Amino acid sequence: MTAPSTTSTPVAALEGLRVLDLSGAMGNYAGKLFADMGADVILVEPLQGSELRREGPFIDDQPGTERSLNFAYQNTSKRGICLNLETASGQALLRELAAGADLVLETFAPGWMEAHGLGYAQLVQRRPQLVMASITPFGQTGPYADLQATDLVALATGGLLWMGGYQGVAPTQAHGDQAFKCAAMYGAVAAMLAVTDAELSGEGQQVDIAMQECVTLALENAAQTYDLEGVIRKRPLGDQRFAGYGLFECQDGYIYLGSRGIGNSPAWSRSLQWFKDAGMVGVDRLFGPEWSDLTYLKSEEAREVFGDLFMTWSRQRTKEWLYTEGQKRLIPLAPVSTPRDLLDNPQLRAREHFVPFTHPLVSAAAEMPGAPYVLSSTPWRLQRPAPGLGQHTSEVLAEIGITRDEVARLCAAGVVA
């Protein structure tokens, strides 16, 4: 790590750290985490650009190399160059760049880097403290190591897909490439630990991150439940688990209500009083002794009775009203937020969670999520928008002594762009 620069603004947490990001969709988010914390992250793309550049959604719904919102979000604060790593000259340039780097992030298939003279054992010869974080679907070893996988395949083989959706229908993939994000986040954490150790010991290491294993960690206690109790956890019911507990419609969407738990939950009595005070039609039907019987609460009759009474009432009220009133009465109730709701959420607004999103093709700044944490002394901040294809090639190569004339020659030869 190089010494941080002296500026009037607070020093970023990772300022002075140099990262080469060779990753694609599986790892670009890991590079973003480093870049937005102040590291100098150099995105190394093939001449045709990262695969993320061809993934939507696109600005104005028009596909294009510079129009992917997914790419724009996952590559903020990075500088970008294009290298043809299939050529000897491109490989030599990467080795030269790696000699001045602290961390290399890559998502190539196991053995690809070694076959191109870019493996960890080859790069570390010039930079003993270099760390390489390799993110792959199944890791560098094992019978699945050479297999490819999409986000959906990783969710399935990691077990999380089984838990997604509702009973009675096929498993449902969660939105947003959650397996990729899971691997990138765990990969970033593991890489940072290895970089810290390298600074202390002077010796780097290769970090082997398997997306399948990262997904498996998200299963919470599903594996233990089967191991200890022989019970396979299932997808939740699409309606209520038992009366007074679950998703319910309201005037402008859905709310999640947890007023009726197992046993004599105090939230239940408070809910009944609320419903009575608010003039819910038929609320007296909920005051019988059967509502203290767990078997009855799980019955179809109980769930139908409560659902009909509650939703006849809730459909006349907004999420905001139900949430506010429920909180006043200490009742577990939460709105099911849409993206529009999140942009207007007073808590997220108060913490300035959303930050300006700027892009050359967008006339007015939009908004995007910032960091889910606040550092008081070494703040998170966007350094720059995601790079255009090859935007910083000349700039970065100049730092290792490559002149503009040489860059032009390399460009003509199909080595850089």
Side-chain angles (χ1 to χ4, degrees):
M1 178 183 287
T2 59
S5 61
T6 302
T7 63
S8 58
T9 57
V11 175
L14 300 182
E15 187 169 340
L17 193 74
R18 173 67 69 90
V19 179
L20 297 182
D21 184 356
L22 281 66
S23 66
M26 208 179 335
N28 270 182
Y29 187 70
K32 171 185 169 66
L33 295 175
F34 280 91
D36 290 340
M37 290 301 293
D40 179 17
V41 178
I42 300 170
L43 178 66
V44 182
E45 300 182 73
L47 302 191
Q48 70 273 20
S50 165
E51 59 193 301
L52 271 180
R53 291 185 180 273
R54 293 176 286 281
E55 288 190 10
F58 299 100
I59 296 171
D60 297 329
D61 290 329
Q62 297 178 23
T65 301
E66 306 295 349
R67 307 186 73 91
S68 169
L69 290 172
N70 199 354
F71 177 88
Y73 175 71
Q74 295 198 50
N75 292 284
T76 54
S77 303
K78 302 177 186 180
R79 295 192 289 167
I81 69 173
C82 289
L83 283 184
N84 184 351
L85 297 181
E86 298 288 351
T87 66
S89 296
Q91 295 159 12
L93 289 172
L94 186 69
R95 284 192 288 269
E96 192 66 31
L97 290 170
D102 301 288
L103 170 65
V104 173
L105 297 170
E106 62 94 6
T107 55
F108 290 103
W112 192 96
M113 294 285 282
E114 289 81 359
H116 290 75
L118 304 172
Y120 179 70
Q122 294 148 315
L123 297 183
V124 79
Q125 293 178 13
R126 294 188 58 187
R127 178 74 165 165
Q129 61 268 49
L130 180 68
V131 171
M132 178 181 283
S134 301
I135 305 174
T136 57
F138 301 104
Q140 300 292 310
T141 60
Y144 292 3
D146 294 327
L147 301 182
Q148 300 180 27
T150 62
D151 179 85
L152 180 59
V153 169
L155 289 176
T157 57
L160 192 58
L161 189 62
W162 172 255
M163 307 299 294
Y166 302 102
Q167 289 185 27
V169 296
T172 303
Q173 179 183 14
H175 174 73
D177 288 338
Q178 295 302 311
F180 283 178
K181 299 298 190 302
C182 197
M185 286 190 291
Y186 282 121
V189 171
M192 190 68 246
L193 292 173
V195 168
T196 301
D197 179 72
E199 291 185 350
L200 296 173
S201 67
E203 296 183 4
Q205 59 182 298
Q206 184 174 14
V207 184
D208 178 4
I209 302 106
M211 181 166 55
Q212 180 192 30
E213 295 169 11
C214 295
V215 170
T216 299
L217 282 173
L219 294 180
E220 298 176 337
N221 61 2
Q224 296 94 314
T225 300
Y226 178 76
D227 188 40
L228 298 174
E229 302 179 12
V231 175
I232 298 175
R233 284 184 55 186
K234 299 179 180 179
R235 296 185 289 283
L237 293 168
D239 47 10
Q240 307 171 58
R241 288 173 54 189
F242 34 79
Y245 188 105
L247 285 173
F248 298 91
E249 288 185 60
C250 61
Q251 187 180 93
D252 55 351
Y254 292 87
I255 56 97
Y256 188 86
L257 178 66
S259 65
R260 176 79 266 187
I262 296 175
N264 294 316
S265 169
W268 177 246
S269 57
R270 290 195 289 265
S271 296
L272 293 180
Q273 188 61 51
W274 179 27
F275 302 156
K276 193 169 185 178
D277 294 344
M280 178 187 286
V281 176
V283 67
D284 291 343
R285 175 68 178 83
L286 303 176
F287 280 86
E290 67 272 21
W291 295 96
S292 296
D293 181 355
L294 180 59
T295 301
Y296 179 72
L297 292 176
K298 291 183 176 181
S299 70
E300 183 175 350
E301 176 186 323
R303 288 187 278 119
E304 286 185 356
V305 168
F306 181 86
D308 288 344
L309 290 173
F310 182 78
M311 282 192 285
T312 298
W313 177 75
S314 66
R315 285 173 180 145
Q316 303 173 45
R317 290 158 175 84
T318 65
K319 289 185 287 188
E320 182 179 358
W321 186 88
L322 290 165
Y323 176 63
T324 301
E325 292 299 312
Q327 290 297 301
K328 287 179 183 178
R329 297 171 181 263
L330 302 180
I331 295 168
L333 185 154
V336 179
S337 297
T338 66
R340 176 73 264 174
D341 295 333
L342 292 176
L343 286 172
D344 295 332
N345 184 274
Q347 177 66 15
L348 295 177
R349 283 292 175 196
R351 289 177 59 81
E352 299 180 343
H353 175 68
F354 291 101
V355 298
F357 167 78
T358 59
H359 192 284
L361 298 178
V362 178
S363 57
E367 291 185 306
M368 66 180 181
Y373 45 78
V374 176
L375 281 72
S376 61
S377 299
T378 54
W380 177 100
R381 61 177 175 268
L382 293 177
Q383 312 296 322
R384 59 177 66 86
L389 186 62
Q391 179 179 345
H392 303 100
T393 297
S394 294
E395 175 185 309
V396 171
L397 294 183
E399 295 169 4
I400 58 173
I402 307 299
T403 66
R404 286 190 175 274
D405 288 343
E406 181 65 8
V407 171
R409 188 191 68 78
L410 291 169
C411 186
V415 177
V416 304

